[in-house]
Amino acid sequence: ATKKGIEYVIFIGESEVASEQFRLKNLVTGVEETHGLDRIVSIVRDRRQNRVAPVVSSEDTDDISV
């Protein structure tokens, strides 16, 4: 999963569904937390918005025509 750039895994079992609390594991840091679904969505959304865009050098854009 980490080779494909997947940062988070959510564990959903019978007990998680019953309690509406789900385990979210960050595969980069190894940290596992338990949260409600709304908080998990917020965590993942914030992480995606704060992700740094890759740096593109002028060498990479030489072949791009407008």
Side-chain angles (χ1 to χ4, degrees), residues 6-64:
I6 298 170
E7 295 183 50
Y8 292 99
V9 173
I10 185 170
F11 297 92
I12 303 173
E14 290 180 24
S15 63
E16 287 81 9
V17 171
S19 69
E20 297 184 5
Q21 294 292 305
F22 305 92
R23 291 182 295 142
L24 180 70
K25 183 170 184 176
N26 182 317
L27 298 177
V28 176
T29 64
V31 173
E32 187 174 312
E33 301 174 329
T34 301
H35 298 287
L37 191 55
D38 288 340
R39 178 66 181 131
I40 289 174
V41 169
S42 177
I43 290 168
V44 174
R45 182 180 296 138
D46 289 348
R47 175 65 181 130
R48 290 176 55 113
Q49 289 175 350
N50 293 328
R51 186 176 291 154
V52 176
V55 176
V56 178
S57 72
S58 60
E59 292 175 1
D60 295 334
T61 60
D62 288 343
D63 295 332
I64 299 175

